[in-house]
Amino acid sequence: MAPIPTYLNPAAVLVLVSCDLCLVRANRPPSPVNVTVTQLKANSAMVSWDVPEGDVIIGYAISQQRQDGQMQRFIREVNTTNRACVLWDLAEDADYIIQVQSIGLHGESQASKRVHFRTLKQSDRLPSNSSNQGDITMEGLDKERQLQTGEIIIIVVVLLMWAAVIALFCKQYDIIKDNDSNNNKEKTKPSSEHSTPERPTGGLLRSKKKSPSINIIEV
């Protein structure tokens, strides 16, 4: 703001200052809207917001404060079009209040409405007030179901392969067993066909003996 000449009366000075303030406020960008906190964890969170269209925004500023007043942090980033920021190094199971400002070519906007959130405990997995809790839960269940289905399919395929191998082994074993029995039968047949019958040694030999002849001579 240009220096005010000393010869001007106080009323004129007040008018000039008011005009400068009006110009500065007119050039300020509008405050961010729809400030939300998602992806809540024990030590981090994601804050996002929207900016009304038609204004040139070159950055943002975030005021982060614990509700108990123990810690306060101010985050400022320029030359960016991001509409979200990750808050790190948060205390576990603690209440926080944040406000977001837009940074334009002629200054910063007024702070947005105060948004309150609470970090989780280390034992908690998902935030109870998270907007995408159902999506994350369903996505996790779908992945588990896919894994279970895949494991069941693999187990069934392995069992079928083992059953086929066992059936083939049993079939081959029966074929080998039948071949062995046929070979044993063929080996025993020639010995029975070419064997000489036993000759009786009893009455037949005796019947063939000639009886002694007696010659009677008459005188």
Side-chain angles (χ1 to χ4, degrees):
M1 185 173 62
I4 301 173
T6 56
Y7 57 84
L8 293 178
N9 57 24
V13 172
L14 183 60
V15 171
L16 290 175
V17 172
S18 299
C19 292
D20 290 340
L21 291 176
C22 290
L23 290 174
V24 171
R25 291 179 179 176
N27 293 328
R28 281 185 177 182
S31 301
V33 295
N34 300 328
V35 180
T36 56
V37 178
T38 56
Q39 300 182 15
L40 280 172
K41 297 181 181 180
N43 304 112
S44 65
M46 171 77 76
V47 56
S48 60
W49 61 90
D50 295 329
V51 176
E53 297 180 358
D55 295 286
V56 178
I57 305 300
I58 62 173
Y60 61 85
I62 299 175
S63 173
Q64 168 192 324
Q65 182 179 3
R66 282 185 61 169
Q67 194 168 5
D68 55 11
Q70 293 183 2
M71 185 181 65
Q72 185 174 5
R73 180 182 297 170
F74 189 75
I75 303 171
R76 179 186 175 92
E77 186 174 351
V78 295
N79 297 327
T80 180
T81 58
N82 290 336
R83 299 293 182 264
C85 178
V86 178
L87 305 177
W88 297 98
D89 298 330
L90 302 179
E92 176 188 356
D93 194 20
D95 293 313
Y96 284 90
I97 298 173
I98 59 170
Q99 288 180 290
V100 184
Q101 293 176 277
S102 299
I103 301 176
L105 297 175
H106 302 285
E108 299 176 357
S109 69
Q110 293 183 352
S112 66
K113 294 181 179 181
R114 302 176 71 182
V115 177
H116 169 267
F117 69 93
R118 185 179 183 87
T119 55
L120 302 180
K121 297 179 180 180
Q122 291 290 351
S123 58
D124 296 336
R125 294 184 179 181
L126 293 174
S128 58
N129 58 346
S130 176
S131 60
N132 57 354
Q133 178 181 1
D135 297 338
I136 296 175
T137 305
M138 291 302 298
E139 185 177 354
L141 291 175
D142 291 340
K143 289 182 179 179
E144 292 181 359
R145 289 174 182 173
Q146 291 177 0
L147 291 175
Q148 292 178 357
T149 304
E151 292 175 356
I152 292 174
I153 292 174
I154 293 174
I155 293 173
V156 171
V157 171
V158 172
L159 292 176
L160 290 176
M161 292 178 62
W162 275 107
V165 171
I166 293 173
L168 181 62
F169 176 79
C170 293
K171 186 176 181 180
Q172 294 292 333
Y173 178 77
D174 293 337
I175 294 173
I176 294 172
K177 188 176 180 181
D178 293 338
N179 292 334
D180 291 339
S181 60
N182 293 331
N183 292 332
N184 292 332
K185 289 180 180 180
E186 290 178 357
K187 289 180 181 179
T188 55
K189 285 180 179 180
S191 59
S192 59
E193 291 178 354
H194 298 286
S195 58
T196 55
E198 294 182 358
R199 295 181 179 178
T201 56
L204 291 176
L205 293 177
R206 291 176 181 176
S207 61
K208 290 181 179 180
K209 290 181 180 181
K210 295 182 179 180
S211 57
S213 62
I214 299 174
N215 296 322
I216 300 173
I217 300 172
E218 293 178 359
V219 180

